[in-house]
Amino acid sequence: TELGTLIKQINAKLVGHFRYYGVTDNSNGIHTFGYCVRRKLFEILNRRSQKKSLTWEGFAKLTDRFPLAKARIYVNIYG
């Protein structure tokens, strides 16, 4: 489906961002970035029709089916 392809592309970009910026002291930054991407995706999916067609509960069900990549630390600079 189109949505599956979109989520796959977003996940590839998220994982690349998390791998590059995912160092020990940057956990707040990458979690904030992941949250902003999630909000923007909700906004974009809600623009598909003139009325608001997607609620946060519906978006949560959608991300259960097509999960977004989670922010995580890839490099520990202390050990």
Side-chain angles (χ1 to χ4, degrees), residues 24-64:
T24 306
D25 289 340
N26 200 20
S27 62
N28 283 342
I30 63 173
H31 283 286
T32 302
F33 180 77
Y35 174 75
C36 289
V37 168
R38 184 180 214 77
R39 293 281 309 216
K40 187 51 91 172
L41 179 62
F42 174 74
E43 206 176 285
I44 288 169
L45 291 177
N46 240 341
R47 293 171 116 185
R48 294 187 295 179
S49 67
Q50 295 201 347
K51 66 182 185 87
K52 299 296 182 197
S53 58
L54 190 62
T55 62
W56 272 110
E57 292 80 24
F59 185 69
K61 288 179 185 174
L62 189 70
T63 54
D64 285 344

